Amino acid sequence: MKKTLQFLTLIMLVVNTSCHSQQGNKNTKLTTVDFKTEKSYLLLPIEEKANEVRMVVYYKNHKTTSAFYLRLAQNKIDYWVKLDVKNHFGKTISLTFEGVENSSLGIKNIKQSDKFEFEYNETFRPRFHFTPEYGWMNDPNGLVYFEGEYHLFYQYNPYGTMWNNMHWGHAVSTDLTSWTYLPTAIAPDSLGDIFSGSAVIDVKNTAGFGKNAMVAIYTSNGKVQQQSIAYSTDKGRTFTKYAHNPVLPNPEIPDFRDPKVSWNEVSNQWIMALATKQTITFYGSSNLKNWTKLSEFGNEMGAHGGVWECPDLFPLTYRGETKWVLMVSINPGGPNGGSATQYFIGSFNGKEFIADKLPYPLWIDYGRDNYAGVTFSDIDASDGRRIFMGWMSNWDYANNVPTKSFRSAMTVARELSIKNNGEHLILANVPTKEVTNLRGKVEIVADQNINKDIAISDILKKYEGTFEIQMTMKRQNAKIWGFGLTNSIGDYLNFTFDLEQNILKVDRRNSGLKDFNQKFVSEPIAPLVKKDSYNVRLLVDKASAEIFINDGETVLTNIIFPSQWYNTLTFFTTNQSWKAENIKIYQVK
Ligand code: FRU
């Protein structure tokens, strides 16, 4: 039966496909293939290392076109991507490729199918972190809570596992840990690709799209970057773009993006925090459609090693007082290379942000893999938490990490608070209680007195790369000491507390696969306040390790690709002693 079907598909392809070439502008060869659609999908063969080519899709019956970039296979087929053509049954669709011969492997292998298959459960697919079903993902976008659902939109390429063709992908969750994939929410248009942004619930119907409309505010990335809006009145299931986009045109600033909007009670208006080159510009609006510049922050403040991106501005209560936090991602220029997210703590009077005097730059996470993170808007007042998610990768190597059908995961959802770390105020972050609720069976390990290196072999074996370790590390007189994870072929991930230099180091230089990009091989460092005891929570989920010290005072998130799952827990010291107490290893459901 299967054979016959395959044969029929082939016949249909031949009958319904016509292929011709012509010269395009600037002598670019154009090859057009026509398909009479008989099935749900057109499957396009991709070769990861092939050059990108532009593909224009022309839907003849609708007289509409859209254009994407694809690494159309030239020498071999690594995987397939799909073009959903369900709404065009029986109609002709033309695909025009720039700079591709009609005899090329890629063109010859395009096929129609009702199925789109890929290996979902590949080795480095995490168990409790969000990943796109397939394709490329970067920043979390439009994080918003509405009527019992957390919405996670994200920078998404449905046509490949490398960055391009930015759409807003979409998933929802009722518990911040298990997510349901929904269709792509917002697709590129004549103003450009859909870059990062935010979403709000327009409770007062200020924009006139309807009471409680979900409004997405994003960057249209075309010839220039400008801000656009789209709205949904069906719980985010479908979005309509505002007819008069852009709502904030480009004022001749090339990097002008990533609007994060929130309602401000003090000035009784919407406030947009926007990344403008290496500053954050605040705009105000009464209706989400007309925006006025209010102020600019950031000259000579914090880190400036790269472009500023993805800001977020929000209040937190510290000892009964309202403090405002401004988070700003920066790439490159992170403390350990590449991408990272810095923050400022201060005040916001409805127009202007003024930073407290603190030892900036301060970073929300000193690991190499927590970028472009922002917080959920519209969390119920009865809940009151400030919940954060970041993209668990780094632009230094994100396009090369060794996964196949998808690229990148988000951090776990984390709760933010302001704390004093013994030296100054900081923005602390810990996994939300929903993440803690994922704990399954616990294994209690006897307290360990460490005055020489110890290895507890095979204790991690049964977890197959997904577990949580919690313990208290009592320093005694140790100066350089720590713990690690290792496997039988010698890959290791070490966490070293160095109280000669007051730093915590995460050594992933030999953590597993690393040849995909030299910049991945690194040993990120975080400042560590000298204390006698540290509480540690380490979440490991196949390809990531998130360590939280003293309830989120020091956090490092790093991705890893062990060649074999770590099976052994090690404790080490350079000649003095320390004690590991209350060691618990949790299965994570
Ligand atoms: C951050 C970023 C944003 C931009 C998006 C594009 O990672 O560069 O500034 O909107 O990614 O995908």
Side-chain angles (χ1 to χ4, degrees):
M1 177 65 184
K2 210 168 161 207
K3 276 233 161 76
T4 327
L5 268 181
Q6 273 170 1
F7 179 69
L8 273 178
T9 312
L10 202 72
I11 297 271
M12 283 187 312
L13 255 174
V14 174
V15 171
N16 295 326
T17 305
S18 67
C19 191
H20 56 270
S21 299
Q22 64 189 85
Q23 293 297 117
N25 286 345
K26 298 183 210 136
N27 279 339
T28 312
K29 190 173 178 76
L30 300 181
T31 296
T32 299
V33 207
D34 290 339
F35 293 91
K36 186 162 177 236
T37 55
E38 310 282 352
K39 298 191 176 244
S40 304
Y41 307 119
L42 278 181
L43 299 184
L44 303 146
I46 304 294
E47 178 183 348
E48 180 118 334
K49 295 232 154 62
N51 291 334
E52 282 182 326
V53 296
R54 188 157 182 268
M55 173 183 87
V56 179
V57 188
Y58 178 47
Y59 301 94
K60 285 197 172 153
N61 54 322
H62 289 153
K63 295 201 164 54
T64 55
T65 56
S66 49
F68 306 108
Y69 289 86
L70 292 179
R71 293 177 190 273
L72 194 70
Q74 285 170 8
N75 303 305
K76 67 177 173 73
I77 299 170
D78 290 324
Y79 59 90
W80 298 82
V81 295
K82 69 170 194 215
L83 186 69
D84 193 328
V85 292
K86 277 193 220 75
N87 295 336
H88 303 273
F89 269 128
K91 303 283 173 6
T92 303
I93 291 182
S94 289
L95 304 182
T96 299
F97 295 89
E98 288 181 4
V100 180
E101 298 291 334
N102 63 19
S103 58
S104 82
L105 178 83
I107 302 260
K108 281 197 306 207
N109 280 282
I110 299 172
K111 60 187 177 189
Q112 300 204 37
S113 172
D114 282 324
K115 277 198 194 146
F116 173 57
E117 285 171 323
F118 57 91
E119 193 196 339
Y120 184 83
N121 289 315
E122 59 180 283
T123 313
F124 294 118
R125 175 80 76 171
R127 294 247 306 268
F128 63 93
H129 286 78
F130 180 78
T131 48
E133 190 177 22
Y134 62 88
W136 162 274
M137 173 178 83
N138 55 295
D139 317 353
N141 295 154
L143 301 183
V144 63
Y145 178 80
F146 185 54
E147 293 185 352
E149 289 178 325
Y150 295 93
H151 291 259
L152 165 57
F153 300 91
Y154 49 91
Q155 286 288 280
Y156 185 47
N157 182 7
Y159 304 113
T161 49
M162 293 173 104
W163 183 89
N164 214 334
N165 308 314
M166 283 299 114
H167 292 59
W168 274 26
H170 190 195
V172 287
S173 171
T174 54
D175 61 6
L176 290 164
T177 58
S178 57
W179 296 91
T180 304
Y181 296 116
L182 292 177
T184 297
I186 313 182
D189 55 33
S190 59
L191 292 177
D193 286 342
I194 313 299
F195 271 20
S196 287
S198 49
V200 292
I201 304 304
D202 189 5
V203 180
K204 299 182 188 169
N205 194 17
T206 61
F209 300 138
K211 189 172 157 44
N212 288 332
M214 184 182 289
V215 183
I217 309 97
Y218 57 88
T219 300
S220 291
N221 182 64
K223 284 200 181 78
V224 293
Q225 298 186 336
Q226 36 199 356
Q227 317 323 316
S228 296
I229 59 178
Y231 61 93
S232 166
T233 49
D234 57 358
K235 299 181 80 178
R237 270 41 182 194
T238 56
F239 277 85
T240 306
K241 286 173 183 149
Y242 176 51
H244 304 291
N245 280 335
V247 291
L248 180 55
N250 186 290
E252 296 191 4
I253 301 176
D255 294 302
F256 187 71
R257 59 177 179 267
D258 308 339
K260 181 73 162 82
V261 172
S262 55
W263 179 258
N264 186 268
E265 296 290 348
V266 179
S267 57
N268 206 30
Q269 64 178 335
W270 298 103
I271 299 290
M272 177 195 291
L274 191 73
T276 46
K277 228 195 238 170
Q278 286 197 16
T279 61
I280 300 304
T281 305
F282 296 103
Y283 292 84
S285 172
S286 59
N287 58 8
L288 297 165
K289 295 171 177 167
N290 305 101
W291 294 92
T292 314
K293 182 171 168 177
L294 302 173
S295 63
E296 198 175 334
F297 169 85
N299 278 316
E300 293 173 23
M301 289 290 292
H304 284 271
V307 68
W308 285 22
E309 301 184 314
C310 302
D312 195 358
L313 173 77
F314 52 85
L316 283 173
T317 306
Y318 176 66
R319 297 197 174 156
E321 191 193 331
T322 300
K323 287 268 175 203
W324 285 80
V325 176
L326 177 63
M327 297 194 309
V328 178
S329 284
I330 166 173
N331 177 66
N336 291 294
S339 326
T341 301
Q342 60 178 327
Y343 64 87
F344 304 88
I345 300 176
S347 59
F348 185 72
N349 62 6
K351 287 190 169 162
E352 213 182 336
F353 178 82
I354 297 171
D356 291 354
K357 287 199 173 38
L358 288 170
Y360 302 119
L362 296 168
W363 306 91
I364 189 164
D365 190 317
Y366 285 81
R368 297 211 62 204
D369 301 294
N370 182 351
Y371 192 60
V374 282
T375 65
F376 280 86
S377 65
D378 293 273
I379 296 286
D380 269 352
S382 60
D383 177 327
R385 290 178 296 170
R386 189 44 68 173
I387 302 170
F388 165 99
M389 282 177 99
W391 172 48
M392 210 156 48
S393 199
N394 189 312
W395 283 115
D396 271 357
Y397 42 75
N399 275 290
N400 315 118
V401 297
T403 51
K404 197 169 173 203
S405 55
F406 75 99
R407 270 214 178 86
S408 306
M410 294 300 177
T411 65
V412 288
R414 301 179 184 182
E415 184 175 352
L416 303 182
S417 64
I418 294 181
K419 290 179 61 172
N420 190 314
N421 68 358
E423 293 183 346
H424 56 80
L425 293 190
I426 51 149
L427 180 63
N429 63 108
V430 288
T432 55
K433 61 175 190 282
E434 291 86 347
V435 177
T436 308
N437 286 342
L438 293 177
R439 286 174 174 170
K441 270 198 210 133
V442 59
E443 184 167 357
I444 311 236
V445 181
D447 291 358
Q448 305 283 319
N449 284 304
I450 298 129
N451 42 38
K452 61 173 179 8
D453 296 356
I454 296 177
I456 309 184
S457 298
D458 283 337
I459 192 160
L460 302 172
K461 194 169 171 198
K462 58 177 166 297
Y463 301 104
E464 294 185 332
T466 300
F467 54 89
E468 178 182 345
I469 296 179
Q470 191 181 28
M471 67 181 155
T472 305
M473 298 175 64
K474 294 224 162 127
R475 184 161 70 85
Q476 299 179 340
N477 60 359
K479 292 235 168 80
I480 299 175
W481 49 300
F483 73 102
L485 312 173
T486 182
N487 61 20
S488 9
I489 51 173
D491 297 340
Y492 64 87
L493 180 69
N494 276 358
F495 302 88
T496 304
F497 293 64
D498 177 341
L499 293 180
E500 274 170 3
Q501 298 184 69
N502 293 343
I503 53 172
L504 172 61
K505 287 196 267 191
V506 181
D507 184 358
R508 71 160 181 204
R509 289 171 301 175
N510 295 296
S511 55
L513 307 183
K514 57 183 182 187
D515 292 344
F516 54 88
N517 189 314
Q518 249 314 305
K519 287 189 173 165
F520 175 82
V521 183
S522 49
E523 190 177 24
I525 289 172
L528 188 71
V529 177
K530 197 177 219 151
K531 294 194 175 164
D532 289 334
S533 161
Y534 297 99
N535 297 318
V536 173
R537 269 185 85 172
L538 173 67
L539 305 184
V540 178
D541 191 9
K542 306 278 185 189
S544 63
E546 295 162 279
I547 189 165
F548 302 87
I549 309 292
N550 287 353
D551 300 318
E553 278 177 22
T554 303
V555 179
L556 292 103
T557 299
N558 291 288
I559 55 173
I560 44 170
F561 301 94
S563 325
Q564 250 177 35
W565 301 130
Y566 299 134
N567 57 0
T568 297
L569 179 59
T570 63
F571 298 97
F572 52 83
T573 177
T574 43
N575 67 45
Q576 281 147 325
S577 60
W578 67 280
K579 189 173 180 192
E581 287 182 358
N582 298 323
I583 311 167
K584 291 178 182 150
I585 307 175
Y586 294 95
Q587 192 186 48
V588 185
K589 283 185 256 174

